[in-house]
Amino acid sequence: MNSNYFMPTRVIIGDDCVFGNRALLKELGKRALIVSGKNSARANGSLADLVRALDANGQSYFLYDAVMSNPTVDCIYEAAEAAKREGCEFVAGLGGGSPLDAAKGAAVLALNPVEKSSLFSTSFTTALPIVAVPTTAGTGSEVTPTAVFTNHAAKTKTSIKTPAIFPRYAFLDAKYTLGLSRAITINTAVDALTHAVEGMLSQTAGALTDTLAKESIAVIAGCFGVLRGGRELDIGIRQKLLYAAMLAGMVIANTGTNVVHSMGYSLTYHRNIDHGRANGLIFAEFLKRIEQKEENSDSKRIPVILSCLKVKSLDEFSGILDGLFGKKESFTAAELEQYAEQASGARSIANGIFRFEKEELLDIFKKSMG
Ligand SMILES: [Fe+2]
């Protein structure tokens, strides 16, 4: 058995865990940069809880609340400038993947002044301490060393990766996710599912990441019925999804993502399709391709994944995804050609256990959107 696993984030799960564990924040510094989107951290109560904790500790803060979805390089430079100008000693991200990743970017750039043009080619080793409070159940960014940004120069999303941006603390309180719409909940759950599955199909998968991935897949699959149906997405389901998304984050913290994310980024960049939905649209056809490749290989991962999903075949799984996502967007042949070309050049596509040529990516796009 081989395994090499590292994830230094202290994960705290539970009702009112931010305020209840406020003593942990004290050691991080006198002043925080809080990073969030415009409205959600106010609406879901996470901002009020964090401010209450900081106030009780006698700590001050500056709020940078201008993070858009799929944050741009300009956005994180602006947040980092705020951190420096305001003398912030640590960064607290509140939100889905976008604010959490922006918080990580700001934490790095506050200590490392680099030109925008060399952001993605620089190896960073330092960052301000980071606190992550996820308010969606998908990204897993609260336990990863990665932050993803919209890279207009490359016309896609590009990441920075360094152990320095593992959050010091991740506070998981599912009540912040109660107000999310069913569509957002489905998109984020499927994003987490792709993290777990891509992790199992990574060259760097090991015994520990497989264990985390299998548990994550099983928990999310157990929520499919409620996600699809008209039943209320209550706190019990919310807790399961937040937990499963964090487990999947622990997987990709060590394996990274690969083919599905490389392909999905094009759909998000060019057509503004939500990240989780973009991955979900191509997910089943990608897995069918893996199944074909496994026929002539020692790798037998698909049967394990199907067993965790509690389905008999990838056709059955494809039907579940169709039920969750409804009518798919339509694309021209030229668009799909462009996306396949772009995805084939993505750094992370080589992380998978099988090599995918551009023609195969195009075929997956065509079959998925057909
Ligand atoms: Fe993702």
Side-chain angles (χ1 to χ4, degrees), residues 191 195 261 275 279:
D191 182 32
H195 294 162
H261 274 64
H275 171 64
N279 291 343

Side-chain angles (χ1 to χ4, degrees), residues 138-140 148 157 187-188 190-195 198 252 257 261 265 275-276 279:
T139 163
V148 188
K157 291 167 75 177
N187 291 348
T188 45
V190 172
D191 182 32
L193 188 61
T194 59
H195 294 162
E198 282 182 87
I252 57 169
T257 57
H261 274 64
Y265 286 156
H275 171 64
N279 291 343

Side-chain angles (χ1 to χ4, degrees), residues 84-220:
K84 287 190 274 188
R85 185 185 68 236
E86 298 289 330
C88 299
E89 294 173 285
F90 65 105
V91 181
L94 308 175
S98 297
L100 297 193
D101 286 2
K104 291 173 168 178
V108 164
L109 291 171
L111 294 187
N112 299 277
V114 300
E115 295 289 326
K116 288 179 186 174
S117 56
S118 44
L119 173 65
F120 296 115
S121 56
T122 304
S123 293
F124 298 103
T125 56
T126 55
L128 292 175
I130 298 161
V131 176
V133 183
T135 64
T136 65
T139 163
S141 182
E142 66 273 17
V143 290
T144 73
T146 310
V148 188
F149 305 110
T150 296
N151 179 0
H152 287 308
K155 290 194 164 34
T156 184
K157 291 167 75 177
T158 308
S159 60
I160 58 173
K161 184 171 185 184
T162 162
I165 57 172
F166 270 117
R168 188 80 61 92
Y169 300 113
F171 294 108
L172 276 63
D173 187 338
K175 69 170 174 281
Y176 303 140
T177 67
L178 273 171
L180 298 172
S181 69
R182 189 171 295 269
I184 288 176
T185 307
I186 288 170
N187 291 348
T188 45
V190 172
D191 182 32
L193 188 61
T194 59
H195 294 162
V197 171
E198 282 182 87
M200 288 187 71
L201 298 170
S202 162
Q203 286 180 25
T204 49
L208 276 167
T209 55
D210 277 359
T211 300
L212 294 163
K214 286 188 241 177
E215 170 73 358
S216 177
I217 295 167
V219 172
I220 295 168

